[in-house]
Amino acid sequence: MTTTAHSSEVDPPTPPAPARAAALRARLSHSTTMTWWVGWLGAVLVTAFAGALRFYRLGEPDRIYFDETYYAKDAYGLQEYGYEHDSLENADQMLGRGPVDIFDGGGDFIVHPPVGKWMIALGDWLWALLPFGESMTPEGWRFASALAGVATVFILVRLATRMTRSVLLGCTAGLVLALDGLHFTLSRIAMVDVFLALWVVAGFACLVIDRDATRDRLARLSEAGVDVTTRWWLGMRWWRLAAGLCFGLAVGTKWSALFFVAAFGLLTVAWDYGARRSAGQRRPMGRWLLVDAVPAFLQTVVLAGIVYVVSWTGWLVTRGGYNRGFADGMAPDWLPDTVAGPLEAFISLADYHARMMSFHNGLTSDHAYISAPWEWLVMRTPVMFAYEGEAVGCPSGGCVASVVSIGTPIVWWISLLAICVMLGWWATFRDWRAGAVLLAVAAGWLPWFAFPDRPMFLFYALPVLPFLVLAIVLMLGLVMDAGENNPRFGPYLRATGGVVFGVLLLLIIAHFAYLYPALAAYPIDEPSWRQRLWFDVWIYGNGSS
């Protein structure tokens, strides 16, 4: 990983002459001698490993558990009706036996947008297409979550490889994410948080590619003799449009994605400003505002809003959804039906959103596993998703099986050090990678402190995890590069960095393997199970034993 001056957005020299075009390229874009297929091969291998972990015994527990009671049934309702539907009281017991009619009444009031549930429904449909698959079984309603978790690992490998220009560090990022217990458990349950993490990371990756492509375009124009110091248009930003699409899907999964959209929208225009300054534009404010900032708002925020509204199509084009008829008859009589109908539908949708917001603002709970945001990074209060005191399949008897949704503690604890290193690196060198990671962590974590009375859980931190992993691999890159320019102690420092890298990776692998039975509903004798959960709060939460 290189930490040279091209990583900082500092004032450039005067506009380059042809002889200095190579120096400008070094400022504007990362150079690499990496063979392209090596990076892709590494990403595929790490992704395959993550997939093997997530798909093995995906059907255990072989019943609805934790919040699957909401999301699996909502997904089934979307498949059948296009909107979430009320279900029978014993629907949880009926599910898992293949397609059955579990519905009663009409539309169900839901508190999260539909994208994540549509993805669960799509996964169930795909699973049923397989020769051994069947709709609405545990494997079916968890299939999309596992795919999303695997896809997030793949994207993170490619993202980290791009940011560090190191296949080793890129694959390490994917491996660390694959071996984190929080990401593992949320990739094996029909909940929507893993989809939120997927779309947030995918959107960020698109913006990083857009940043690299834009700066590389400026470098190529300069090499071709174009005066980039007066350049207005930086080219069509297809990757930024892709980011807007991803952000719309993220917000359509959970509203908390709005924090990331706001932060990343500011980040991408800041990168454009830095690119213009690096290209030699001394007063780029007008060009930056008119052809960078305003289009960026349209390409990310506005496009995300359009995607979000489209995600409600199933509710809008049907009539049975909750609150769907709220605005019936409100449109003026003089409007034609082709206008009045959609207008009333959108008024009803706006009122629905007001009811959803009221629910979130008034939410209270005495759940034993509630945790405040400050507890998330230290893994104080994980969530017991499932527990069976008399697990079947243990020859010695007296065994338990559980799904404890806890991050691999060593990953999260090391990330605290990595965040401190990123702060120092950014404050000292203004490195864009450190700044981007810090901003992403802040966007996914700090806003929750503004809602101290709202019940929150550890899995709310899942979208932050990939950026904590990026902080870890960036820190490891710095450690392994230590002594690069020190002829006397350089070899010893680099060797020490390699040892630190190897030891940390082995500790992460060992810690995940140690926790695995408690994460994956694998039967294990109770004393061994308790040994893996080091603190009482990891077992009982904030309740009594």
Side-chain angles (χ1 to χ4, degrees):
M1 184 184 72
T2 180
T3 58
T4 51
H6 71 264
S7 299
S8 304
E9 313 292 1
V10 297
D11 287 348
T14 55
R20 296 163 60 190
L24 180 62
R25 169 170 285 280
R27 293 184 57 81
L28 287 170
S29 61
H30 293 293
S31 60
T32 179
T33 58
M34 179 178 60
T35 305
W36 68 269
W37 63 265
V38 175
W40 285 98
L41 177 61
V44 168
L45 292 176
V46 173
T47 303
F49 172 74
L53 284 177
R54 280 148 182 78
F55 284 105
Y56 176 63
R57 301 179 74 250
L58 183 61
E60 297 296 331
D62 59 352
R63 57 178 173 82
I64 288 278
Y65 72 100
F66 200 64
D67 281 355
E68 286 187 336
T69 188
Y70 307 114
Y71 297 117
K73 291 182 291 190
D74 285 346
Y76 196 14
L78 289 174
Q79 287 188 69
E80 294 293 314
Y81 300 98
Y83 55 86
E84 295 87 348
H85 204 285
D86 277 329
S87 59
L88 299 169
E89 289 186 3
N90 63 336
D92 286 4
Q93 290 72 40
M94 297 173 67
L95 284 174
R97 307 171 188 170
V100 291
D101 185 4
I102 63 169
F103 298 109
D104 185 26
D108 189 22
F109 174 65
I110 54 96
V111 297
H112 292 303
V115 168
K117 289 162 282 187
W118 275 117
M119 295 184 70
I120 293 172
L122 177 61
D124 180 74
W125 177 76
L126 291 172
W127 178 260
L129 294 178
L130 298 175
F132 47 80
E134 185 178 7
S135 179
M136 294 317 297
T137 59
E139 294 90 349
W141 65 64
R142 295 169 193 159
F143 188 59
S145 296
L147 287 177
V150 171
T152 306
V153 170
F154 178 81
I155 293 171
L156 187 65
V157 173
R158 297 302 302 157
L159 173 63
T161 300
R162 176 175 288 272
M163 293 179 70
T164 63
R165 298 309 185 204
S166 167
V167 174
L168 175 62
L169 292 177
C171 292
T172 299
L175 185 61
V176 172
L177 185 63
L179 293 172
D180 180 75
L182 187 67
H183 191 265
F184 173 78
T185 54
L186 288 169
S187 299
R188 291 166 51 85
I189 186 172
M191 290 172 59
V192 299
D193 301 87
V194 72
F195 306 118
L196 173 61
L198 167 65
W199 294 122
V200 167
V201 172
F204 178 78
C206 290
L207 291 183
V208 171
I209 297 173
D210 172 76
R211 177 193 183 276
D212 286 355
T214 300
R215 296 168 75 88
D216 187 64
R217 186 179 300 117
L218 282 171
R220 285 188 282 104
L221 287 172
S222 176
E223 292 169 344
V226 176
D227 184 5
V228 294
T229 63
T230 59
R231 188 77 177 184
W232 278 74
W233 193 50
L234 299 182
M236 187 60 192
R237 313 295 286 272
W238 295 110
W239 282 107
R240 198 148 69 183
L241 286 170
L245 173 63
C246 293
F247 293 151
L249 293 170
V251 178
T253 301
K254 268 192 170 183
W255 287 350
S256 55
L258 287 168
F259 302 131
F260 289 101
V261 175
F264 293 159
L266 295 174
L267 184 64
T268 186
V269 294
W271 284 344
D272 283 347
Y273 187 83
R276 291 186 180 278
R277 294 294 299 271
S278 294
Q281 298 184 9
R282 293 294 184 181
R283 294 181 177 85
M285 183 60 67
R287 292 183 285 268
W288 170 78
L289 179 63
L290 293 177
V291 300
D292 294 335
V294 173
F297 178 80
L298 297 175
Q299 293 163 340
T300 55
V301 178
V302 174
L303 178 58
I306 293 172
V307 172
Y308 178 81
V309 173
V310 171
S311 74
W312 284 87
T313 298
W315 185 91
L316 289 167
V317 302
T318 56
R319 295 292 306 177
Y322 178 86
N323 208 54
R324 178 62 178 81
F326 168 81
D328 286 356
M330 287 187 179
D333 294 337
W334 51 267
L335 284 176
D337 291 343
T338 55
V339 177
L343 176 61
E344 291 171 350
F346 282 110
I347 293 174
S348 298
L349 184 62
D351 182 74
Y352 196 171
H353 277 65
R355 295 172 188 240
M356 293 165 65
M357 181 60 74
S358 177
F359 171 86
H360 287 292
N361 289 337
L363 184 62
T364 59
S365 175
D366 59 355
H367 200 289
Y369 296 101
I370 287 173
S371 61
W374 69 265
E375 300 176 7
W376 297 347
L377 301 189
V378 297
M379 289 288 111
R380 180 184 181 274
T381 313
V383 182
M384 184 75 70
F385 279 174
Y387 175 85
E388 295 180 3
E390 296 180 359
V392 178
C394 184
S396 62
C399 292
V400 301
S402 70
V403 178
V404 182
S405 188
I406 182 174
T408 304
I410 191 170
V411 173
W412 292 75
W413 295 343
I414 289 295
S415 75
L416 296 174
L417 174 62
I419 290 299
C420 294
V421 172
M422 293 300 103
L423 279 169
W425 191 17
W426 183 82
T428 305
F429 296 103
R430 293 295 190 271
D431 189 278
W432 71 271
R433 295 164 290 190
V437 167
L438 291 171
L439 182 66
V441 172
W445 183 45
L446 295 183
W448 293 105
F449 285 89
F451 309 100
D453 298 326
R454 191 192 191 285
M456 290 174 277
F457 300 91
L458 173 62
F459 53 81
Y460 288 13
L462 183 68
V464 177
L465 173 61
F467 301 100
L468 296 178
V469 174
L470 282 175
I472 291 172
V473 297
L474 288 169
M475 178 183 69
L476 289 174
L478 291 174
V479 170
M480 294 171 70
D481 282 348
E484 183 178 3
N485 299 314
N486 188 321
R488 183 175 181 181
F489 298 108
Y492 303 102
L493 292 174
R494 287 195 295 274
T496 301
V499 170
V500 170
F501 170 85
V503 168
L504 179 58
L505 198 58
L506 287 174
L507 286 174
I508 292 172
I509 295 170
H511 201 172
F512 176 82
Y514 185 66
L515 282 174
Y516 178 80
L519 305 174
Y522 196 88
I524 186 174
D525 63 273
E526 186 171 2
S528 297
W529 178 78
R530 288 183 175 272
Q531 287 175 4
R532 285 159 169 78
L533 302 177
W534 294 335
F535 309 106
D536 285 347
V537 71
W538 287 8
I539 300 175
Y540 306 111
N542 297 303
S544 64
S545 60

